[in-house]
Amino acid sequence: MQNFAICNLITTILMKFKERTIQISMIIITLMMIILRFLLNEKGRTSPDSIRYMRFAHVFPTIDNTTTPLGYPLSIKFFTFFGPDEFWSSKIVGIGVFLFIIFFAWKKKFFFKETVVFCALFSFLSIFSYTMSEALILPFVLLFLYISSLIIEGKLKNGKAIFYLSLTLIALYNVRYSSLFIMAGTGLFGLVSWKRQYAKAL
C-alpha cells in the first residue's frame, strides 16, 4: 500500500514537471516567433495606421489632428526615452504586453494554462508583433476580466469594486475607442445585477 502511494506521488510529480516544461517551452517559442514575425516581414509588421501612431508618439506633446486615443502612442513615446526609435519602441511594447499577460495570469493563478495556449495562437502572436493598439488593449482586457471575476465572486465589493472597475474601463477607452461597447455592456450588466439585488431585498 505504501509503495503504491509512493508510485502515485512520483507519477504526479513527473506529470507536473512535464506540464511545466511544456508551458515554459511554449512561452519561449511564442516569444521567439513574435520577434521573428516582425524581423522577417518586409514591412516590419507595420501599416499606414502604424505610421500614424509612431508619428503621434514622435511629435508628442504636440497634438496633431488625429483622433487616435493617447494610450498606445504614449506607451511608444515612453520607451523612446531609453534610446530606441518609435519603430523599435512599438515592438518592445508588443513583447512587454505578451510577457505581462503571461506573468499576471501565472501570479494571480487566473487561467494560466489557457492564457499560455491562447497567446501561442497565430492570431494573437501576430497581434503582439504588429505595431497597432490591439496589442496594448489585451492586458487591460485581462485586468478587466480579472476584476470582474472578483466582483462576481464577491471578493471585491462596494467602493473598491467601483473604483478598480472604473479605472480599468478608463484605461481601455484610452487605448481604443471601441472599448465603449465593453463599457456599455458592463453598465447594462451592473444595472441588471443591481435590480436583482434590489428585488430580493423587497
Side-chain angles (χ1 to χ4, degrees):
M1 191 71 178
Q2 190 177 359
N3 290 337
F4 182 72
I6 292 168
C7 285
N8 274 344
L9 181 64
I10 292 168
T11 305
T12 305
I13 292 167
L14 286 171
M15 287 294 288
K16 282 187 177 291
F17 177 76
K18 189 177 179 181
E19 185 181 325
R20 185 57 58 88
T21 305
I22 291 168
Q23 289 170 353
I24 292 169
S25 300
M26 282 183 71
I27 292 166
I28 293 168
I29 291 167
T30 304
L31 181 60
M32 289 173 62
M33 287 300 294
I34 290 167
I35 296 167
L36 290 172
R37 186 91 172 87
F38 66 77
L39 285 179
L40 299 177
N41 185 272
E42 58 181 7
K43 294 181 181 177
R45 294 288 294 155
T46 58
S47 67
D49 284 338
S50 306
I51 294 165
R52 186 177 64 185
Y53 283 122
M54 289 187 282
R55 186 179 67 239
F56 192 164
H58 183 72
V59 300
F60 190 84
T62 303
I63 306 294
D64 58 14
N65 293 325
T66 185
T67 56
T68 303
L70 287 172
Y72 187 60
L74 284 182
S75 67
I76 294 173
K77 184 71 176 180
F78 173 77
F79 285 105
T80 60
F81 292 125
F82 299 97
D85 60 16
E86 283 76 18
F87 172 80
W88 289 109
S89 294
S90 70
K91 301 310 175 187
I92 292 169
V93 170
I95 292 167
V97 160
F98 166 70
L99 294 175
F100 172 81
I101 289 171
I102 295 295
F103 177 77
F104 182 86
W106 169 74
K107 190 72 177 175
K108 297 295 182 181
K109 295 180 174 61
F110 187 66
F111 298 103
F112 175 66
K113 295 174 188 176
E114 293 82 355
T115 302
V116 171
V117 174
F118 269 102
C119 286
L121 294 174
F122 185 75
S123 54
F124 281 91
L125 192 147
S126 296
I127 289 170
F128 294 131
S129 64
Y130 196 24
T131 301
M132 284 295 281
S133 59
E134 279 84 351
L136 188 63
I137 202 170
L138 291 176
F140 292 109
V141 169
L142 182 65
L143 285 170
F144 169 75
L145 293 173
Y146 177 70
I147 291 165
S148 299
S149 70
L150 291 180
I151 293 168
I152 292 167
E153 291 167 7
K155 295 177 181 177
L156 205 59
K157 296 179 180 179
N158 305 326
K160 249 186 177 180
I162 294 168
F163 174 74
Y164 285 119
L165 193 61
S166 300
L167 207 64
T168 311
L169 289 170
I170 290 166
L172 282 165
Y173 180 74
N174 279 282
V175 176
R176 284 188 70 83
Y177 291 140
S178 57
S179 301
L180 278 170
F181 293 104
I182 298 175
M183 295 172 80
T186 305
L188 185 63
F189 179 80
L191 185 65
V192 170
S193 299
W194 177 76
K195 276 191 172 182
R196 280 179 183 173
Q197 288 179 1
Y198 184 72
K200 284 179 182 178
L202 290 175

